[in-house]
Amino acid sequence: MLVMALRTAVYEANMALQQYGLVTFTWGNVSGIDRELGLVVIKPSGVAYADLSPENMVVLNLSGDVLEGGLKPSSDTATHLVLYQNCPAIGGVVHTHSAAATAWAQAGAAIPALGTTHADYFFGDIPCARALTDAEIATDYERNTGLVMLEHLTVDDVLAIPGMLVREHAPFAWGETPKNAVHNAVVIEEVAKMALNTLLINPNVRRINQALLNKHYLRKHGKNAYYGQTSSKPSEK
Amino acid sequence: MLVMALRTAVYEANMALQQYGLVTFTWGNVSGIDRELGLVVIKPSGVAYADLSPENMVVLNLSGDVLEGGLKPSSDTATHLVLYQNCPAIGGVVHTHSAAATAWAQAGAAIPALGTTHADYFFGDIPCARALTDAEIATDYERNTGLVMLEHLTVDDVLAIPGMLVREHAPFAWGETPKNAVHNAVVIEEVAKMALNTLLINPNVRRINQALLNKHYLRKHGKNAYYGQTSSKPSEK
Amino acid sequence: MLVMALRTAVYEANMALQQYGLVTFTWGNVSGIDRELGLVVIKPSGVAYADLSPENMVVLNLSGDVLEGGLKPSSDTATHLVLYQNCPAIGGVVHTHSAAATAWAQAGAAIPALGTTHADYFFGDIPCARALTDAEIATDYERNTGLVMLEHLTVDDVLAIPGMLVREHAPFAWGETPKNAVHNAVVIEEVAKMALNTLLINPNVRRINQALLNKHYLRKHGKNAYYGQTSSKPSEK
Amino acid sequence: MLVMALRTAVYEANMALQQYGLVTFTWGNVSGIDRELGLVVIKPSGVAYADLSPENMVVLNLSGDVLEGGLKPSSDTATHLVLYQNCPAIGGVVHTHSAAATAWAQAGAAIPALGTTHADYFFGDIPCARALTDAEIATDYERNTGLVMLEHLTVDDVLAIPGMLVREHAPFAWGETPKNAVHNAVVIEEVAKMALNTLLINPNVRRINQALLNKHYLRKHGKNAYYGQTSSKPSEK
């Protein structure tokens, strides 16, 4: 079988989604990419988590042609592919309908950076992409979902804010690996809950001081990071 | 014993209610129907989930006569029967007092369609049936609970919005099978939570774009569905 | 040992409190009474749930004298005793700091009867007893906590609304048995959550129609009850 | 190995943080001190809870020099040290990003003392320390986080309110031992949830009567305490 290690990583990341309580039924999917081979591995569409295995993950090329696997890939595959095609730094993508983050997406609001929990992983607000137009919905809907996200992110620094909401829909997250993308999806849900509760306590809350945002983000990421034992990837430990 | 397969399906669906966290104590019940035989199977009244078995489910005809079973059927049986009598497409019915959906019912408000999570299963708002009148409460209360729901649904397309709230009371859900009805009851609770949180973030939130509602509903349901591996019934996988 | 069956019932009811998620640490206690012998059994003070057993429950008479047991009784014992002394129908008492009900107590508000979930167990609002005066706090505080509850309940029909909040403090519940009292404590927490969420959706929500309140309460309680298999005590099944 | 009993106590307290649901990933740390030896034991930085052991805890002196352990100490070590250096009564320190308490910290608001749950452990509001200035963030950030907390606490009676929020950040708790500090961290999260829900029910809620606050705090703490079996440390039982 092709890319067995990546199949296993994508399988484990899909299972982790469920273990972290981010999915109900089959409402979530994780993919990963092998940049050298140009192969993407993704969860099959609508298959229960209990029935997943490394072997039934679906393998595609970057154009979306299925190369291996008897099952159809996730219906959101085209969205994942847009992110891989346009953002070379992305190694894994996650989509969920986790409850609190989805509420922010439905509200059409970015999740504001209100504290260090957020700043440890996201170098600014988590944006909410605009709603799709009727035309964008009518044709190539899933691909257009990826394209509206591109409007709201900085391709050259896509890992600085490794996730986004899509209006009227739900969150997406990404990372250097599938595991790291799941990690960021968990963070989005946690900060979404915290931000909602913060607003209920203080509707006029201000954003986190920019200096504190920088401090927390940079003590975990980049060349001067000092959190963790060795490097800037705390989520991989 | 009559309809052993249906007994088992109804038993399993009742147990699933508890596993999904939708019931406290005995606050929920599931029934199913064998349309060829005209037999309905339903949970016995007030029996703890731990004591349920396929064998102690109660079998009735569509008129409500108990044909088999030493226990009394759910006190809500008459409500289930109204739905079966009037809506030939319904194969399973669920009633719960799940916390978030019940809050919407108590508030007397439909759960608005705010995002794709909702649109994947419900082709529009989840209605809230009107409160019963004193006369409707005084006589045939449970049957009248079914009749007020009929006022708010389209019998010919009853599966397009497979659930409803009853004001001052709680949610009901249905589907082609008991399992599918439970699936829809879970969805109602999830979208009820999300919609409440959405309103807290943005009290002026607009409904989901109709084109997006159509897109998501129809990619999972109907002849052009493409979600999942084979058909339009993702919940049965 | 005295009243071994009651010791076991009180022990099991205390453990159930934890299993239902109503207590953090040791923040809860259950007692029961043997009316023929005039003996009360209660949880020892500040002992972790893991260390409880039927044998280390404390046995007192109705005057509060410890008759058996090497441990001190719950610090709230005097409150329990006031309820037993004044309300012959009460067979078990529960005190918790369950999160949602405690929020209502802190808010100084009765939990309004908003739907059938509430009406199935409580024949009206769950009252919030007034705050104690400085003098009542200074002397016989725990006994006075019971006395302010008496001001808000109808002794002759104390089981019709089997629980109450105490302002600035937390909920108490009671029932015919310790098990039934725990059941009612769970209901209080559930309806407290539902009522809060209902108010967030609709701040102007009206109370449940009185006819519907009567209908639901009376189909489960009293001589014409028809819920459950045999009687008016659904919680004991 | 140095201070093996303290290593074990700190290890167990770190694991308890996770068991109480206070941490996501590695977002929390516990330390403890041996006052006689002047040694502090703390969780290593960014290590998953599953990989912790008494042996891989890090041992430092009060100046922050690592005396034993191959791993880097928590990035928040300097904050812990400020508390130990200035408050001789503190024997254990906890830092978490528990969801409800962090919302209060992000909102920049003290958690008001609204009921007896709070009063049983905290002899007044749980303060929210001011935000750090840009200069305090730029240099010795973690040490300055401790210093702003000192501005808001009474060193001579630091155990009377054994925890604090830091604005834009998250809660800290402390106690006589690491276990007791974890206990207080759990209480902060519980009262944070309750206080938020209380405000949603009654935005104009008043603080708990001072006489009741005194009563509850003093029945559990100090020389006249009578809660529990032997002493004023209910959390250690």
Side-chain angles (χ1 to χ4, degrees), chain B residues 136-150:
Chain B
E136 288 167 338
I137 292 165
T139 309
D140 290 334
Y141 165 64
E142 288 84 3
R143 176 169 164 74
N144 289 328
T145 298
L147 292 175
V148 297
M149 283 198 278
L150 282 188

Side-chain angles (χ1 to χ4, degrees), chain B residues 7-209:
Chain B
R7 282 175 174 278
T8 300
V10 170
Y11 162 74
E12 289 177 353
N14 274 288
M15 299 309 286
L17 265 199
Q18 192 179 47
Q19 289 153 17
Y20 283 117
L22 296 192
V23 291
T24 301
F25 300 126
T26 59
W27 305 352
N29 44 69
V30 186
S31 66
I33 189 168
D34 182 317
R35 288 281 174 188
E36 291 191 19
L37 299 174
L39 296 179
V40 171
V41 173
I42 195 165
K43 179 175 173 292
S45 180
V47 174
Y49 285 88
D51 297 332
L52 296 182
S53 67
E55 290 72 21
N56 65 17
M57 297 291 113
V58 183
V59 182
L60 312 97
N61 62 23
L62 262 171
S63 305
D65 304 309
V66 174
L67 301 184
E68 203 175 61
L71 298 171
K72 286 163 55 184
S74 165
S75 57
D76 298 309
T77 298
T79 313
H80 292 237
L81 291 177
V82 168
L83 292 168
Y84 289 126
Q85 290 159 355
N86 290 278
C87 306
I90 293 181
V93 173
V94 173
H95 174 48
T96 78
H97 288 230
S98 65
T102 300
W104 282 91
Q106 293 189 159
I111 304 174
L114 298 178
T116 60
T117 319
H118 187 117
D120 279 338
Y121 295 92
F122 289 85
F123 201 37
D125 292 357
I126 298 170
C128 183
R130 68 169 172 82
L132 277 70
T133 65
D134 286 15
E136 288 167 338
I137 292 165
T139 309
D140 290 334
Y141 165 64
E142 288 84 3
R143 176 169 164 74
N144 289 328
T145 298
L147 292 175
V148 297
M149 283 198 278
L150 282 188
E151 295 176 16
H152 294 263
L153 59 77
T154 308
V155 168
D156 290 346
D157 199 17
V158 70
L159 295 177
I161 298 183
M164 191 178 293
L165 311 176
V166 176
R167 188 159 187 176
E168 301 180 345
H169 190 165
F172 287 81
W174 46 82
E176 295 177 38
T177 63
K179 183 177 181 179
N180 187 245
V182 169
H183 196 102
N184 290 328
V186 173
V187 175
I188 291 174
E189 181 65 8
E190 288 301 306
V191 299
K193 278 186 235 167
M194 286 178 185
L196 168 53
N197 284 337
T198 303
L199 285 184
L200 292 175
I201 298 167
N202 181 357
N204 302 312
V205 65
R206 63 182 190 212
R207 273 187 178 61
I208 186 174
N209 178 355

Side-chain angles (χ1 to χ4, degrees), chain A residues 24-27 44-48 51 70-73 75-76 97-100 102-104 106-109 131-134 137-138 141-142 167-170 196 199-200, chain B residues 20 114-118 120-121 182-184 186-187 190-191 193-195 197-198 200-202 205-209 211-212 215-216 219-220 225-230 234 237:
Chain A
T24 301
F25 299 126
T26 58
W27 305 352
S45 180
V47 174
D51 298 331
L71 298 172
K72 286 162 59 185
S75 57
D76 297 309
H97 287 231
S98 65
T102 300
W104 283 91
Q106 292 187 160
L132 277 70
T133 65
D134 287 14
I137 293 165
Y141 166 64
E142 288 84 3
R167 189 159 187 177
E168 301 180 345
H169 190 165
L196 168 53
L199 285 184
L200 292 175
Chain B
Y20 283 117
L114 298 178
T116 60
T117 319
H118 187 117
D120 279 338
Y121 295 92
V182 169
H183 196 102
N184 290 328
V186 173
V187 175
E190 288 301 306
V191 299
K193 278 186 235 167
M194 286 178 185
N197 284 337
T198 303
L200 292 175
I201 298 167
N202 181 357
V205 65
R206 63 182 190 212
R207 273 187 178 61
I208 186 174
N209 178 355
L212 187 58
K215 174 69 185 176
H216 265 263
R219 79 176 191 170
K220 279 202 168 187
Y226 58 92
Y227 178 94
Q229 296 303 323
T230 57
K237 291 184 190 109

